[in-house]
């Protein structure tokens, strides 16, 4: 990363971490504490202590109150903790007060996630987005007005005196860097949009894999595409989106996109920063919601994924639920469940063992293929423009010529897209259909 600032130096070092989790309701926070421990493990640190407590509201000064802060200090000293990680958002003043009292680093769950993202980003876009999110987080924590580093006003005829403080200088540099990052991201986003439009013109459907982090998305992606994407039993094992093309029965060439995993209460600045990366999910034809069916908090995880999908503008994308890891549940075998219209709504599989993957491919084919149609056409020589457009869309599966020089084509594509194409050519496509014997597009489909 090439930022003018090293992101919040308090996040670095500190291999021994003491965790703090506060319950503000009667709900069981066991799952949230376990998730925080997984985040710490994923960051490379070691959780050596845990402090839990209940409150009706955060304490303005220490978040957990003075008595619990004394208890936390004793725990840090006994465990030789180097960093205290709160499973909550702290105000900058609360962070400073805690650091001053405890004598060690204090960071939040958001800072921890940002640090993990910074370590995992590989593509240029991912690195830019992480850095932008980091700077947005850091901006509210530039509070040290280093008066001993004041810069003197200079120049002939000017009296000396307090000039730009280090704090003001840092803020100015931060804003300049943010502007540079946003400009670079706009360029990257333009390129991604162009690639997406090119796929759309060719009629290639996109299937995105979304789901809670560590649900097995990357393992399933590797099983489906043989991509060799890094997969591990840790949170946010992969960050940047990966695209691979696979041929699906009755559908043809299909792009699969593996996206970053979601998490409970994903920080809003991360959602905003990664909207470009998550465009693949937002603009996909079908989203595979990969779910860890062996997790006791499965319903909460599904709700968290649905919430993030709404946040990134992907709430209207058709979803096929994939209940993964059935190998961990005795008595469960691979199967498909259908909705009232007869379309698959969920598939139970094991991406690790491969059990049920054939059912998943069939379900994907059914969900994408219900709008797909295969036709045989006979085009006269003067229909070259229509033939060229069909080639550009990637619709032509085979082509031959009869004795009169007419092109005999077999095409497979989205019924909707073909109907629109036929409308642009004055209904020509329907006139040239030779198989099936009778075929017509519904008018409401091809009206643009």
């Amino acid at each position: 990363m090439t930022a003018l600032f090293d992101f919040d130096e308090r996040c670095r070092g500190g291999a021994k971490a003491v965790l703090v989790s506060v319950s503000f309701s009667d709900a069981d926070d066991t799952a949230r504490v376990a998730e925080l421990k997984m985040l710490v493990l994923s960051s490379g640190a070691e959780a050596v202590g845990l402090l839990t407590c209940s409150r009706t509201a955060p304490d303005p000064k220490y978040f957990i109150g003075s008595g619990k802060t004394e208890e936390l200090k004793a725990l840090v000293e006994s465990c030789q903790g180097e960093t205290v990680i709160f499973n909550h958002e702290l105000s900058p003043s609360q962070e400073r007060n805690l650091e001053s009292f405890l004598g060690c680093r204090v960071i939040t769950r958001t800072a921890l996630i940002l640090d993990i993202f910074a370590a995992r980003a590989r593509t240029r876009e991912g690195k830019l987005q992480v850095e932008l999110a980091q700077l947005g987080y850091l901006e509210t924590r530039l509070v040290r007005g280093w008066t001993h580093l004041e810069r003197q006003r200079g120049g002939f005829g000017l009296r000396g005196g307090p000039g730009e403080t280090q704090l003001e200088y840092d803020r100015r540099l931060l804003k300049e860097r943010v502007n540079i990052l946003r400009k670079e991201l706009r360029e990257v986003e333009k390129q991604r949009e162009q690639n997406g439009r090119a796929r759309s013109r060719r009629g290639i459907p996109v299937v995105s894999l979304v789901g809670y982090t560590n649900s097995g998305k990357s393992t399933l992606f590797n099983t489906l595409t043989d991509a060799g994407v890094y997969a591990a039993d840790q949170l946010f094992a992969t960050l940047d989106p990966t695209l691979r093309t696979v041929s699906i029965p009755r559908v043809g060439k299909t792009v699969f996109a593996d996206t970053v995993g979601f998490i409970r209460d994903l920080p809003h600045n991360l959602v905003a920063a990664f909207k470009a990366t998550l465009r693949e999910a937002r603009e996909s034809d079908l989203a595979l919601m990969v779910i860890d069916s062996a997790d006791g908090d499965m319903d909460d995880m599904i709700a968290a994924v649905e919430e993030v999908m709404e946040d990134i503008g992907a709430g209207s994308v058709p979803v096929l639920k994939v209940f993964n890891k059935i190998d961990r549940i005795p008595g469960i075998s691979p199967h498909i469940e259908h909705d009232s219209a007869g379309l698959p709504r969920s598939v139970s599989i094991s991406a690790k063992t491969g059990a049920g993957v054939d059912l998943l491919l069939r379900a994907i084919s059914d969900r994408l293929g219900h709008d797909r149609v295969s036709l045989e056409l006979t085009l006269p020589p003067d229909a070259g423009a229509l033939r060229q457009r069909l080639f550009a869309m990637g619709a032509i599966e085979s082509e031959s010529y009869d004795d009169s020089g007419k092109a005999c084509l077999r095409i497979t594509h989205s019924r909707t897209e073909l109907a629109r194409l036929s409308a642009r050519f004055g209904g020509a496509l329907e006139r040239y259909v030779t198989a099936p014997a009778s075929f017509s597009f519904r008018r409401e489909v091809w009206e643009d």
Side-chain angles (χ1 to χ4, degrees), residues 414-426:
S414 162
R415 177 188 291 267
T416 303
E417 293 298 320
L418 289 176
R420 289 173 177 167
L421 175 65
S422 183
R424 294 189 192 104
F425 283 84

Side-chain angles (χ1 to χ4, degrees), residues 267-336:
H268 288 291
N269 57 339
L270 280 183
V271 173
F274 280 85
K275 276 189 176 179
T277 298
L278 294 171
R279 180 181 292 109
E280 300 297 343
R282 189 169 67 248
E283 298 181 356
S284 58
D285 299 274
L286 178 67
L288 302 184
M289 184 187 294
V290 184
I291 302 162
D292 183 353
S293 58
D295 196 297
D297 293 306
M298 178 180 67
D299 292 338
D300 289 342
M301 293 180 175
I302 293 174
V305 172
E306 290 174 342
E307 181 181 350
V308 176
M309 290 285 281
E310 288 289 343
D311 287 343
I312 65 173
S316 61
V317 174
V319 173
L320 174 64
K321 291 182 179 178
V322 181
F323 292 97
N324 190 25
K325 303 185 182 182
I326 62 170
D327 53 293
R328 298 184 180 182
I329 307 175
I332 299 294
S333 58
H335 63 277
I336 299 178

Side-chain angles (χ1 to χ4, degrees), residues 247-260:
S247 183
I248 301 294
R250 295 173 46 216
V251 177
K253 186 182 294 184
T254 304
V255 172
F256 281 78
D258 185 20
T259 62
V260 62

Side-chain angles (χ1 to χ4, degrees), residues 348-395:
S348 296
I349 69 161
S350 170
K352 182 179 179 181
T353 65
V357 172
D358 56 334
L359 296 180
L360 176 59
L361 289 172
R362 185 193 308 168
I364 295 171
S365 176
D366 289 344
R367 288 296 296 265
L368 294 177
H370 80 281
D371 188 48
R372 309 286 287 187
V373 61
S374 293
L375 304 171
E376 292 182 10
L377 311 176
T378 300
L379 302 184
D382 60 358
L386 177 59
R387 174 181 170 277
Q388 183 180 14
R389 183 57 185 159
L390 288 169
F391 264 112
M393 293 170 60

Side-chain angles (χ1 to χ4, degrees), residues 73-91:
K73 184 173 183 178
L75 179 61
V76 169
E77 291 174 352
S78 65
C79 295
Q80 297 182 335
E82 300 165 275
T83 301
V84 172
I85 303 176
F86 275 72
N87 200 19
H88 312 273
E89 288 304 301
L90 303 177
S91 69

Side-chain angles (χ1 to χ4, degrees), residues 133-151:
Q134 287 177 331
L135 293 181
Y137 179 84
L138 181 61
E139 186 175 15
T140 61
R141 284 155 173 77
L142 287 178
V143 296
R144 294 183 293 272
W146 295 323
T147 55
H148 66 286
L149 292 177
E150 285 176 345
R151 294 164 53 178

Side-chain angles (χ1 to χ4, degrees), residues 4-15:
L4 299 180
F5 299 89
D6 284 332
F7 171 64
D8 202 345
E9 67 277 5
R10 293 171 296 172
C11 297
R12 307 202 180 278

